[in-house]
Amino acid sequence: MQYAEQQARAIALQLDKGQFNWADWQLGQAPETETVSDWVEKFETEYWRRRSRNQQTETTWKKDYQIVFPKFVEFAKDAEISVDLIIKFVSQTKPDTRSRKRVCDILGRLGKFAKLENLDAIKELSGNYSPGTVSPRSLPTDEQIAQWRDKITNSGWQWIYGMCAAYGLRPHEVFHVDMLDFPIARVSDETKTGERFIYPLYPEWVESWNLKEIVLPNLVSMKDSSNAKLGTKISGFFYDFKIPFPPYNLRHCYARRCFEFGFTPDFGAKLMGHSVTTHCKTYRAWIDEATYWKVYETLTLFHHSG
């Protein structure tokens, strides 16, 4: 009551002085709730404020965020963002899959940006997926790699296949490579990890396959294609030609050869354009027991001969 009387006297005083304004006495209105769509829009604005737009960052946005965000916005409709809502959406994906992990990672970042609490609940749903859980038995032998290369009749596709095999390139990188310092290949800075040099494994492959001469297939609108689309075109050729393994497996086989040749992890990672952690955790997961035995025999033979 005392507070009300004080307020009444203050209003009366303002009226006497002709200074009364209703806006000063209106009760504070509850702030409008911000929907998932609102937060996604804010996140995107902040994302590009912190990064320069180039082919690499655009590809990352499209391959990760642009896959998850529109589906989450559609699922949420006009609902306010919350951890519970994110968990419901995540629960629609299959556990222990790459898709589940991607959704958890992306929406976890969105939740952190929106300053939500209990984000560990989202992280716990990521499951046990890891690129390293694949079986090394799915990789072709080097003999099989060479045999399938010889079956390709188109010179452009044969060159692309050979470059992926001998240099361990990411599929799209064959369109951003120069061979001026042959047998060293140099990838331009238009790729995922920027400019780098690569040594061939095996050196005899690049000689016998004449990889020094760049020969590309006639692809429509190739210059206007993103790295992701270029990679998809190569995967499509492998599928149409019925090659029994995807193009990325040639890169994994290059990593296997790095190990067989005794390259240190940091040296192999440098050639392949990724971190030492990725090289050891992901790529070495593709190495089977037979490869370890081969390296062991080579090292012990060298030791005894010395």
Side-chain angles (χ1 to χ4, degrees), residues 146-173:
Q147 289 169 2
W148 273 101
R149 182 262 172 195
D150 292 339
K151 292 179 181 179
I152 301 172
T153 55
N154 181 284
S155 59
W157 286 113
Q158 195 177 59
W159 184 84
I160 284 178
Y161 180 101
M163 290 295 293
C164 289
Y167 290 96
L169 298 177
R170 298 178 180 88
H172 71 269
E173 289 179 338

Side-chain angles (χ1 to χ4, degrees), residues 102-232:
R102 174 195 279 144
V103 170
C104 288
D105 288 347
I106 297 302
L107 295 187
R109 293 170 200 170
L110 180 64
K112 183 178 180 180
F113 178 72
K115 293 182 170 55
L116 299 181
E117 297 181 355
N118 194 28
L119 293 176
D120 286 342
I122 301 172
K123 188 175 181 180
E124 289 173 1
L125 290 176
S126 292
N128 298 318
Y129 171 79
S130 168
T133 59
V134 293
S135 171
R137 295 181 182 179
S138 61
L139 291 182
T141 64
D142 290 336
E143 291 76 13
Q144 290 171 330
I145 290 174
Q147 289 169 2
W148 273 101
R149 182 262 172 195
D150 292 339
K151 292 179 181 179
I152 301 172
T153 55
N154 181 284
S155 59
W157 286 113
Q158 195 177 59
W159 184 84
I160 284 178
Y161 180 101
M163 290 295 293
C164 289
Y167 290 96
L169 298 177
R170 298 178 180 88
H172 71 269
E173 289 179 338
V174 297
F175 298 98
H176 305 290
V177 68
D178 77 59
M179 305 300 291
L180 295 177
D181 297 323
F182 182 83
I184 300 172
R186 295 190 183 276
V187 175
S188 75
D189 58 4
E190 298 177 18
T191 59
K192 180 178 180 181
T193 55
E195 185 177 358
R196 75 177 191 279
F197 61 87
I198 316 159
Y199 301 140
L201 297 175
Y202 299 96
E204 53 267 35
W205 276 358
V206 301
E207 294 287 352
S208 62
W209 295 350
N210 193 29
L211 296 181
K212 181 179 181 179
E213 302 298 326
I214 297 177
V215 183
L216 292 171
N218 185 20
L219 298 178
V220 179
S221 302
M222 184 182 69
K223 291 183 179 180
D224 299 327
S225 297
S226 65
N227 288 337
K229 288 184 178 179
L230 292 173
T232 299

